[in-house]
Amino acid sequence: MRSRSNSGVRLDYYQRIVHRLILAHQEPVTGLFPASNVNSHAWIRDNVYCILAVWGLSMAYKKIADQDEDRAKCYELEQSCVKLMRGLLMAMMNQKDKVEKFKMTQSPYDSLHAKYSSKNGLPVVGDGEWGHLQIDAVSLYLLILAQMTASGLQIVFSLDEVSFIQNLVFYIESAYSIPDYGIWERGDKTNHGEPELNASSIGMAKAALEAMNELDLFGARGGPASVIHVLADEAHKCQAVLQSMLPRESNSKELDSGLLCVIGFPAFAVDDAQLIHNTKDAILSRLQGKYGCKRFLRDGYRTPKEDPSRLYYERWELRMFENIECEWPLFYCYLILFHAFQSDKRAVEEYASRLEKIMVRSEDGILLVPESYAVPQDLVGFEYQKPGSQAREVVGRCPFLWGQSLFILGRLLQEGFLAVGELDPLNRRLGAQKKPDVVVQVVIIAEDNEIRDKLAEHDLHVQTIAEVAPIEVQPARVLSHLYTYLGRNRKLGLSGRKSRDVGILSTSKLYSLKDRIFAFTPQFADLSRFYIASDNELMIDILKGEINFLKSAWDLLGRPLVTLVLKRIHLDQDKIPLAMIQTMRKLKSGYINGTRVMLGSLKDFLNTSAITDLSFLGSTEDGYPDRLHPDVQTYLDEHLLRSFSNRSTMNLRGGQLRPRTLRRRMSCKGAIKKTRSINVDSDNLGMEGPSPLTERRLSSIVPPPWLQANKQSHVSVFATTPEEGPASSPLHLGNELSVRENIYPVDPHHSRSAIDRRSEFVRQQEMPKILIQRHRAETNFADTEVEELIAMLRETENLEEQGDILQYLVDTQGLDFNTAGLGFKNKSEDNASPNANNAAAGMLEEGRVVTVRDLLKGLYEKACQQKLWGLVRHTAGMLGKRVEDLAKAVTDLLVRQKQVTVGMPPNNEHTITAPLPEVELRQLIHDAYGDDESTAMLTQELMVYLAMFIRTEPQLFHEMLRLRVGLIIQVMAKELSRTLNCDGEAASEHLLNLSPFEMKNLLYHILSGKEFAVSSVARGNLSIVSCKSSRVSKKSQIGLGDPEGEDALIATIDDRQGQWLRRRRLDGALNRVPRDFYSRVWTVLEKCQGLAIEGRVLQQSLTQEMTPGELKFALEVETALNQIPQPEYRQLVVEALMVLTLVTEHNMVPTLGGIIYVEHLVHKANQLFLEDQRKVQGDATLCCAKIKDGKEQQQAASGMLLCGGAAYICQHLYDSAPSGSYGTMTYMSRAVALVLDCVPKHGEMECAIS
């Protein structure tokens, strides 16, 4: 330590500065800082930053306090910090009702205010008069509160305040999915008051959640009641979203200097050193100037071109702010702190000297940090010509206390009065350092002795639930219920945690409650949730994924502990499924998918696991902190009794088939299948909905099957071929005439089932009308029919048949129709009249009403057990079941900047752009698919898988902005029909009968773009084979296949025909675009008046409003491209746009002229292609390049090409590689040269765009 005199004198100098510049402004009553001498409003964020210098100085004094007066100074500075933090706390506690309301609504109008009166701490503007929702401000407050408490300050005084702060934690918990106004209080940069997801808010919230976790707010003097609890999963979600966003700040701000506070002091929210580096470099390269950094690109605040009379900007005027945005010295202060924490002395000195050059000296020689520097009005023209050349002038407050405070902290660090660890007592700065490998502990527990013995036969020794006592094993829903008691406070009217979600990080700990210890099974293993939980292979797959996730995400003390209970339900024909045995053996070996694991018993892991105390369950408010809350006590007592008991299912009685019912059975056959709407025809993928091209009469081609002579069909479980289709069915009586006109162009060479399929679609469009007619027409014989149907239902053993009968009953009678007592022939005739039989009369069987819905439930549970997935999906849809995590899954996709669409383009597609509640989502999906319950269910299921993939393998989603689930379903069915060589109907039947695990794998293969084939093995078991090599590697085979058959299969697939068409179709359906595609389209748009795509024109004015890298611009382009229904055609349009970008990037022409019709380019390229094909006698001479004759004219009029190419483009052009002399890029380039009157480029053109 230096001699007392020097350091003491120097500190006294800083103390005078802090006093004069900062503390002199502190309001004596509330402790808050007003914004300036004329504005008495106190902003939360600015106030917290102002006090940091005071806190830093107090710690510097504490170190050298060898005299009483130094100790006194230290205490006085500390108490100023406490006064301010408590002032803000009181202001927020006055708005406690808002905190309670916001947990439910998350509405900007229910948020805490961003600023209060510095005189009395009351609100100063109304809820709707300011962009109050600023999650980063509340998060910053909590973060600094945690750091100050850890440094020894006592800020929170009572348990009521503790529960208020616990509720503030809930307030910021969902920051990753709440759009707010952000650090600059603007939201969207046009300042029209639209909130958006901001990376700086999410990062600050993540830091606050981590800092608050297990923190005792009473410091060393506290007990269990003053500890704050955070669910680790919430902080991790914030981290995942933050990592997917950086270096982007939000949809409208592609970069923001405010991110410096997230990647460095005070938040240290990013764990990935490379990402920190990339974000800082992006900010320095694009926003740094001589006078500091710009806040973000095209920031009009305080520029000479800003119109101060209005708050918002016109969209076209943003372009004027380019290159003249104000520069803020504040960011140099952040950079000094950033490098000081990295202990990079050289960089610290560089920024310190830059900062000193632009600081302002006051009369008494103190250096002041001004708010910002703007270009003077008269020099704007010169600045436009040569950015960065003109001298700027100070605008705004001087000193700017936020910056001044950080400057003083920087000086204290530079001069050695503070060590970096003192400003960060919670050691957040070490987050980006490499951690040792995590070992995941796995415990498998058997439900009863029988299962334990079955496992022992395989040399796997486990305990039963009874044997692990005194440790109690409970499902995750119990933990989620217990967490709802956290933060409850009657006096303040606060209700505790609202979200019911507990993730794998929370269930991987042990919990102590008084003298009991609980272990919780993970949420995904909860069988009551959804049908995908009854697919064992999928559960194993998810388990592997979660173990892998724990390896990267776990950062608590102790090791993670995954507890699994093996139950009766998991058994397959009374045996333990092979997949489970294999996985357990793998776990036993110590490694699974590259993660270290230990398999053992609970008592072995007691000492190595993380244990959390559930002390908040005590009745503290009633003065009995040691007793359990009475509600909790009753909940636990009740729950322990029934948590792992099984429910019985309703039994439909079986019996012998009687020939009398055969005729009736025919009438319901295929009832389920009629609701399907997945269209897989070789010619027009994605062409659902009326096509504008032409109208043809369906009857002119082939009479529909049900108008032909009545074939007597044989009963089969799966009616997949058209011959087994519906025979005379009462479903058709009402609507033979409704299918007169067909609105789809139809190819006469098509199989009949395809036409049948289309008419199905028409019938669905008219379903509501038909239903009404049907009810009318059939009342006279409904009684006898329903009687017979119910009798049949009791007799049949076949679940598929039961499904068809129930589907028919639902269509005709409704879900709540009471079936009790029907189907017994001894009923008297008058009793069987429809009136006596409806639910009102409530005929009881054994004293209870049995509705169609109850029968469906029984069928659903049986189908789950027997793994009849097609039936499971359909009955789940009819019962209105929804995927538990649907809203969460959609949110997971949206917050990673992926929009989701459901339904089939172009007419029924609905785009989801913001998180929706579960009920609305379900309704939206239902509207999109009409009566097709199976596809609606499949859509929900796929959304859950997409969310799983985006969490574990975000790289699959690169360069995709919208996930179009409808198209993905079609492509999946199409891939099945291609590789199984079957027609569309059979393919969609196969698709809906895939088990959830196979479905997830198929989706994965389609997303990853690998070449693959599907070989059908047995019913329901598909094996998906990657076509990487001629040998089938172990890993790529999914399902149970026999290798010989597969080798033969691969040999047939290896021909290259159709490969590019398939690639384009996949990329088009997944909306995949080349790298930097959108920013390159921006450069094209700048040089022409507009781009027209499928009737949508992208105007040049978009470049005035948006910057090239802005997500909002990308979404505009995407919306135009999504107007194109055929995926492969969409891909060619993307390629045409890429050729245009090459023209602009090589500056071949100064301007591209007026509006460019992109499709003209594609059609021109097609013409050139066909001309070449005629010259060289290529494949296309068989279809589109035929010599013109009358036949072709007629063909064109019908809207179908002979080769089935979409949108009048020859199939063979779709199937050409992009490069090469006959490649699509070559033709596109020639088309551009011809259509745009540019100079043609000489010589061969070779283009490396894939």
Side-chain angles (χ1 to χ4, degrees):
M1 197 188 288
R2 281 159 297 180
S3 70
R4 149 81 193 130
S5 54
N6 289 344
S7 48
V9 169
R10 193 76 184 134
L11 270 185
D12 290 343
Y13 164 71
Y14 281 121
Q15 197 252 339
R16 281 196 301 282
I17 290 181
V18 165
H19 195 271
R20 183 173 308 170
L21 294 184
I22 298 178
L23 292 176
H25 300 291
Q26 192 170 20
E27 282 286 343
V29 178
T30 57
L32 303 179
F33 293 107
S36 64
N37 300 333
V38 288
N39 180 353
S40 66
H41 298 180
W43 271 261
I44 297 179
R45 183 186 306 100
D46 297 51
N47 271 257
V48 173
Y49 275 121
C50 284
I51 208 69
L52 285 179
V54 182
W55 177 50
L57 191 60
S58 75
M59 291 191 291
Y61 265 114
K62 200 185 253 174
K63 281 209 294 204
I64 64 156
D66 50 359
Q67 295 179 7
D68 286 349
E69 63 201 72
D70 289 340
R71 291 195 196 98
K73 278 179 190 157
C74 170
Y75 183 70
E76 182 192 339
L77 291 166
E78 286 181 345
Q79 290 313 26
S80 298
C81 298
V82 173
K83 174 95 177 162
L84 173 105
M85 296 299 278
R86 288 193 60 75
L88 287 174
L89 181 61
M90 294 309 112
M92 289 191 274
M93 283 183 78
N94 281 333
Q95 295 195 311
K96 56 184 182 295
D97 307 343
K98 284 186 165 302
V99 174
E100 180 57 31
K101 212 162 157 197
F102 184 81
K103 286 190 296 191
M104 299 299 286
T105 63
Q106 297 185 348
S107 147
Y109 299 116
D110 295 330
S111 69
L112 285 172
H113 281 198
K115 56 179 187 175
Y116 299 97
S117 159
S118 58
K119 301 269 188 287
N120 53 19
L122 296 175
V124 280
V125 288
D127 293 350
E129 295 166 29
W130 196 259
H132 283 302
L133 176 52
Q134 296 167 29
I135 291 180
D136 73 302
V138 179
S139 304
L140 176 74
Y141 174 80
L142 290 175
L143 170 66
I144 300 302
L145 173 70
Q147 293 279 26
M148 285 181 170
T149 304
S151 76
L153 295 187
Q154 172 87 47
I155 295 167
V156 176
F157 291 176
S158 71
L159 286 177
D160 292 325
E161 289 171 12
V162 172
S163 45
F164 178 74
I165 286 181
Q166 178 68 65
N167 277 276
L168 282 188
V169 167
F170 299 146
Y171 179 90
I172 65 167
E173 195 175 53
S174 312
Y176 63 92
S177 63
I178 302 177
D180 70 341
Y181 292 100
I183 187 170
W184 309 125
E185 310 192 289
R186 302 218 140 186
D188 187 288
K189 72 175 170 206
T190 49
N191 213 13
H192 282 255
E194 297 165 27
E196 47 181 15
L197 267 189
N198 289 295
S200 50
S201 296
I202 296 171
M204 199 54 86
K206 177 216 177 215
L209 289 170
E210 290 180 343
M212 275 286 162
N213 193 16
E214 306 289 322
L215 179 82
D216 192 332
L217 288 177
F218 291 175
R221 305 189 192 81
S226 54
V227 174
I228 294 292
H229 297 270
V230 177
L231 277 87
D233 298 273
E234 304 299 331
H236 191 270
K237 279 180 205 157
C238 289
Q239 172 179 333
V241 174
L242 177 66
Q243 286 194 323
S244 74
M245 286 179 81
L246 289 177
R248 182 187 298 288
E249 159 74 354
S250 68
N251 280 6
S252 71
K253 299 190 272 290
E254 57 175 290
L255 197 57
D256 191 314
S257 297
L259 290 169
L260 286 170
C261 64
V262 169
I263 59 173
F265 180 83
F268 302 107
V270 185
D271 298 348
D272 177 352
Q274 189 56 47
L275 192 57
I276 295 175
H277 183 74
N278 295 350
T279 307
K280 179 185 66 101
D281 283 359
I283 291 170
L284 295 185
S285 63
R286 303 193 55 189
L287 299 173
Q288 182 177 327
K290 266 191 251 173
Y291 296 90
C293 297
K294 300 163 178 175
R295 299 192 304 179
F296 48 88
L297 299 170
R298 300 191 178 179
D299 167 22
Y301 184 57
R302 294 221 172 108
T303 56
K305 290 273 182 190
E306 184 183 44
D307 177 353
S309 64
R310 53 188 160 89
L311 270 176
Y312 62 92
Y313 303 129
E314 296 299 348
R315 303 206 179 271
W316 51 264
E317 67 178 338
L318 288 174
R319 185 73 184 256
M320 300 191 315
F321 305 136
E322 198 160 312
N323 297 327
I324 59 163
E325 302 99 333
C326 290
E327 293 178 356
W328 294 58
L330 161 73
F331 297 114
Y332 278 165
C333 303
Y334 273 118
L335 283 164
I336 289 172
L337 290 169
F338 177 86
H339 289 293
F341 274 91
Q342 303 257 343
S343 51
D344 179 347
K345 286 259 181 13
R346 201 184 48 71
V348 170
E349 281 160 19
E350 181 197 335
Y351 284 110
S353 69
R354 282 188 181 197
L355 183 57
E356 278 182 33
K357 285 181 199 143
I358 54 175
M359 287 172 78
V360 180
R361 272 193 190 276
S362 64
E363 299 93 64
D364 42 10
I366 299 179
L367 285 174
L368 307 178
V369 178
E371 186 167 2
S372 57
Y373 277 92
V375 181
Q377 182 76 48
D378 48 344
L379 301 177
V380 168
F382 301 111
E383 182 74 14
Y384 275 144
Q385 285 160 12
K386 194 173 172 211
S389 58
Q390 305 303 309
R392 294 180 174 232
E393 59 191 13
V394 172
V395 289
R397 293 166 281 183
C398 185
F400 180 45
L401 291 188
W402 172 353
Q404 193 73 35
S405 171
L406 293 180
F407 168 68
I408 292 169
L409 275 187
R411 290 301 283 264
L412 290 172
L413 284 172
Q414 281 163 277
E415 297 186 24
F417 290 114
L418 279 178
V420 285
E422 290 171 289
L423 280 180
D424 178 29
L426 292 169
N427 294 330
R428 295 201 46 74
R429 64 192 183 289
L430 308 176
Q433 295 184 359
K434 202 154 164 39
K435 303 176 188 67
D437 274 354
V438 173
V439 178
V440 181
Q441 308 172 137
V442 184
V443 175
I444 293 170
I445 296 173
E447 188 177 34
D448 54 29
N449 297 349
E450 193 184 330
I451 292 179
R452 180 192 64 187
D453 300 340
K454 284 198 165 103
L455 279 172
E457 289 166 22
H458 296 278
D459 196 29
L460 293 162
H461 300 289
V462 300
Q463 292 182 303
T464 61
I465 293 185
E467 289 168 352
V468 295
I471 302 173
E472 299 172 44
V473 181
Q474 293 288 343
R477 57 175 184 272
V478 176
L479 180 62
S480 95
H481 182 82
L482 294 181
Y483 264 118
T484 57
Y485 290 91
L486 180 57
R488 287 195 186 183
N489 188 304
R490 281 198 302 272
K491 272 195 273 184
L492 292 172
L494 296 171
S495 67
R497 185 170 189 258
K498 278 285 169 281
S499 160
R500 279 312 183 88
D501 189 41
V502 285
I504 185 79
L505 292 173
S506 304
T507 53
S508 300
K509 300 193 279 192
L510 291 173
Y511 289 84
S512 61
L513 180 57
K514 306 292 164 265
D515 42 4
R516 301 157 77 171
I517 294 181
F518 288 96
F520 292 99
T521 56
Q523 198 163 322
F524 71 81
D526 203 340
L527 267 173
S528 63
R529 292 166 70 80
F530 188 55
Y531 65 77
I532 48 183
S534 31
D535 182 6
N536 295 329
E537 288 181 309
L538 183 71
M539 298 323 281
I540 290 171
D541 192 49
I542 295 176
L543 169 69
K544 289 178 184 167
E546 299 283 282
I547 289 179
N548 205 9
F549 169 77
L550 282 172
K551 170 179 150 186
S552 57
W554 185 260
D555 56 357
L556 304 166
L557 291 170
R559 289 173 173 176
L561 171 74
V562 181
T563 312
L564 297 165
V565 177
L566 192 60
K567 307 183 193 177
R568 279 281 168 80
I569 297 177
H570 295 139
L571 298 184
D572 193 8
Q573 285 141 10
D574 224 31
K575 287 205 253 326
I576 292 169
L578 183 64
M580 288 199 171
I581 299 291
Q582 288 170 339
T583 310
M584 288 182 206
R585 292 212 169 112
K586 252 194 186 154
L587 289 168
K588 204 169 163 186
S589 74
Y591 269 95
I592 189 159
N593 295 11
T595 307
R596 284 189 58 197
V597 286
M598 282 180 76
L599 191 60
S601 64
L602 273 174
K603 58 175 190 300
D604 302 343
F605 294 145
L606 268 180
N607 301 330
T608 50
S609 304
I611 297 195
T612 297
D613 188 14
L614 295 174
S615 50
F616 58 83
L617 295 172
S619 326
T620 316
E621 285 194 89
D622 303 329
Y624 298 112
D626 299 337
R627 280 193 210 164
L628 273 187
H629 194 292
D631 301 355
V632 179
Q633 189 64 59
T634 47
Y635 176 78
L636 283 177
D637 293 348
E638 254 178 45
H639 210 87
L640 295 188
L641 294 175
R642 58 184 179 77
S643 62
F644 283 114
S645 65
N646 286 331
R647 293 166 306 162
S648 62
T649 57
M650 280 189 58
N651 217 347
L652 296 162
R653 242 179 270 156
Q656 283 312 103
L657 286 182
R658 284 186 304 220
R660 188 180 53 73
T661 58
L662 204 59
R663 180 184 54 78
R664 175 69 63 221
R665 172 166 301 123
M666 291 306 94
S667 66
C668 293
K669 185 153 179 8
I672 288 185
K673 197 181 297 172
K674 288 192 188 57
T675 63
R676 305 271 159 86
S677 69
I678 303 174
N679 178 23
V680 194
D681 291 336
S682 56
D683 53 352
N684 57 353
L685 175 61
M687 288 291 285
E688 263 31 356
S691 133
L693 300 175
T694 164
E695 288 206 356
R696 299 283 308 271
R697 283 181 182 276
L698 180 68
S699 51
S700 64
I701 306 164
V702 181
W706 59 88
L707 293 180
Q708 294 173 358
N710 222 348
K711 300 195 189 73
Q712 182 61 36
S713 2
H714 51 288
V715 179
S716 95
V717 182
F718 282 104
T720 44
T721 58
E723 282 69 46
E724 296 169 5
S728 74
S729 152
L731 277 179
H732 294 142
L733 296 178
N735 59 355
E736 277 173 15
L737 300 171
S738 68
V739 194
R740 285 193 315 276
E741 291 278 333
N742 188 11
I743 38 185
Y744 311 102
V746 174
D747 172 5
H749 306 296
H750 251 314
S751 68
R752 190 166 66 241
S753 77
I755 293 161
D756 185 31
R757 180 133 223 87
R758 294 212 176 103
S759 45
E760 284 299 339
F761 195 81
V762 180
R763 187 161 349 80
Q764 284 196 13
Q765 305 301 326
E766 316 203 354
M767 214 55 175
K769 273 183 280 185
I770 294 164
L771 280 173
I772 299 163
Q773 296 167 358
R774 202 161 61 207
H775 277 276
R776 300 260 163 72
E778 294 181 353
T779 36
N780 40 5
F781 66 100
D783 45 345
T784 52
E785 179 168 307
V786 172
E787 277 279 300
E788 276 182 45
L789 282 178
I790 303 276
M792 223 166 75
L793 189 61
R794 292 174 194 284
E795 284 153 10
T796 175
E797 284 290 308
N798 183 334
L799 293 190
E800 303 284 340
E801 280 174 25
Q802 295 182 6
D804 281 342
I805 295 169
L806 287 173
Q807 170 71 46
Y808 178 65
L809 283 174
V810 171
D811 285 346
T812 53
Q813 312 291 330
L815 274 173
D816 294 318
F817 175 71
N818 179 20
T819 62
L822 285 177
F824 296 117
K825 280 292 150 212
N826 56 6
K827 291 266 172 292
S828 65
E829 275 304 80
D830 57 50
N831 212 8
S833 73
N835 302 345
N837 233 344
N838 59 18
M843 298 213 51
L844 298 187
E845 173 188 357
E846 297 158 21
R848 65 201 174 113
V849 174
V850 182
T851 59
V852 176
R853 179 181 273 117
D854 297 332
L855 296 173
L856 262 178
K857 275 186 187 146
L859 177 62
Y860 167 76
E861 289 177 5
K862 271 202 209 144
C864 275
Q865 280 164 13
Q866 294 185 23
K867 315 273 188 265
L868 298 172
W869 296 112
L871 194 57
V872 168
R873 288 189 175 97
H874 191 81
T875 47
M878 285 168 69
L879 287 166
K881 284 193 176 298
R882 59 171 189 264
V883 187
E884 283 271 333
D885 301 338
L886 183 61
K888 201 175 94 197
V890 172
T891 303
D892 275 337
L893 293 165
L894 290 171
V895 295
R896 289 172 175 81
Q897 298 90 61
K898 308 287 175 218
Q899 295 190 345
V900 186
T901 71
V902 295
M904 301 298 179
N907 295 347
N908 285 352
E909 203 171 21
H910 300 286
T911 307
I912 304 169
T913 54
L916 291 174
E918 200 92 45
V919 186
E920 284 178 42
L921 264 176
R922 187 163 158 64
Q923 192 51 49
L924 185 80
I925 292 174
H926 197 78
D927 296 346
Y929 294 106
D931 282 345
D932 186 357
E933 300 289 1
S934 315
T935 315
M937 243 22 240
L938 182 56
T939 297
Q940 299 188 35
E941 199 181 314
L942 289 179
M943 284 173 159
V944 172
Y945 301 152
L946 285 168
M948 283 178 193
F949 290 141
I950 205 166
R951 282 198 293 266
T952 52
E953 301 189 46
Q955 70 280 1
L956 287 177
F957 296 84
H958 279 329
E959 311 301 336
M960 290 159 63
L961 275 182
R962 275 209 180 115
L963 304 169
R964 302 167 77 183
V965 184
L967 270 187
I968 290 176
I969 293 178
Q970 282 188 339
V971 170
M972 288 167 90
K974 203 154 187 111
E975 286 298 294
L976 287 181
S977 95
R978 177 180 72 87
T979 53
L980 294 177
N981 242 333
C982 58
D983 65 352
E985 175 143 356
S988 54
E989 193 63 46
H990 271 300
L991 179 66
L992 288 166
N993 274 299
L994 289 183
S995 77
F997 176 65
E998 291 157 348
M999 188 71 77
K1000 180 174 176 233
N1001 268 325
L1002 181 59
L1003 177 64
Y1004 181 80
H1005 274 78
I1006 281 177
L1007 278 179
S1008 59
K1010 291 187 192 126
E1011 290 285 323
F1012 68 95
V1014 185
S1015 62
S1016 179
V1017 187
R1019 206 203 102 237
N1021 270 337
L1022 283 200
S1023 157
I1024 298 177
V1025 185
S1026 300
C1027 294
K1028 269 286 156 58
S1029 61
S1030 53
R1031 287 197 334 280
V1032 181
S1033 67
K1034 268 282 162 43
K1035 270 195 194 118
S1036 65
Q1037 185 184 328
I1038 302 157
L1040 314 162
D1042 62 275
E1044 302 87 70
E1046 271 153 21
D1047 277 333
L1049 175 93
I1050 285 183
T1052 60
I1053 299 168
D1054 251 0
D1055 62 336
R1056 316 305 281 162
Q1057 185 89 39
Q1059 188 192 348
W1060 279 105
L1061 169 63
R1062 205 175 134 260
R1063 269 303 295 277
R1064 289 197 168 97
R1065 198 170 268 160
L1066 281 181
D1067 284 346
L1070 295 171
N1071 285 13
R1072 222 178 234 128
V1073 294
R1075 280 195 54 191
D1076 302 331
F1077 171 71
Y1078 300 106
S1079 51
R1080 290 163 111 172
V1081 170
W1082 191 90
T1083 55
V1084 174
L1085 201 49
E1086 215 181 9
K1087 291 202 169 176
C1088 67
Q1089 283 169 18
L1091 290 167
I1093 300 171
E1094 192 84 7
R1096 281 286 285 251
V1097 180
L1098 294 170
Q1099 298 288 355
Q1100 189 185 10
S1101 59
L1102 287 175
T1103 60
Q1104 304 287 324
E1105 178 194 347
M1106 304 170 188
T1107 55
E1110 202 171 300
L1111 203 63
K1112 263 169 54 184
F1113 177 73
L1115 287 169
E1116 290 281 344
V1117 180
E1118 188 67 25
T1119 306
L1121 286 172
N1122 280 2
Q1123 300 295 310
I1124 304 175
Q1126 311 91 331
E1128 57 268 57
Y1129 183 40
R1130 173 202 151 100
Q1131 262 338 75
L1132 280 189
V1133 171
V1134 168
E1135 287 175 36
L1137 284 167
M1138 285 309 283
V1139 172
L1140 286 173
T1141 64
L1142 292 175
V1143 175
T1144 52
E1145 280 166 21
H1146 296 297
N1147 283 333
M1148 295 182 174
V1149 280
T1151 166
L1152 298 174
I1155 291 184
I1156 299 174
Y1157 292 88
V1158 186
E1159 285 134 298
H1160 288 192
L1161 298 176
V1162 181
H1163 284 282
K1164 189 73 187 164
N1166 186 44
Q1167 250 174 316
L1168 295 168
F1169 170 73
L1170 294 180
E1171 281 166 25
D1172 278 7
Q1173 287 281 308
R1174 287 194 191 99
K1175 282 181 206 153
V1176 297
Q1177 289 296 306
D1179 290 348
T1181 47
L1182 299 175
C1183 53
C1184 308
K1186 263 199 188 139
I1187 311 305
K1188 293 229 181 268
D1189 61 5
K1191 219 191 223 158
E1192 196 196 325
Q1193 306 282 308
Q1194 178 202 341
Q1195 204 52 49
S1198 74
M1200 279 327 271
L1201 297 179
L1202 270 177
C1203 56
Y1208 297 110
I1209 303 286
C1210 179
Q1211 189 88 359
H1212 294 287
L1213 180 63
Y1214 285 127
D1215 202 20
S1216 309
S1219 57
S1221 53
Y1222 292 103
T1224 51
M1225 288 315 240
T1226 315
Y1227 292 113
M1228 294 283 182
S1229 313
R1230 285 167 56 190
V1232 168
L1234 288 167
V1235 176
L1236 291 187
D1237 314 322
C1238 306
V1239 194
K1241 283 122 353 227
H1242 298 292
E1244 267 306 87
M1245 164 126 183
E1246 176 70 28
C1247 206
I1249 296 177
S1250 55

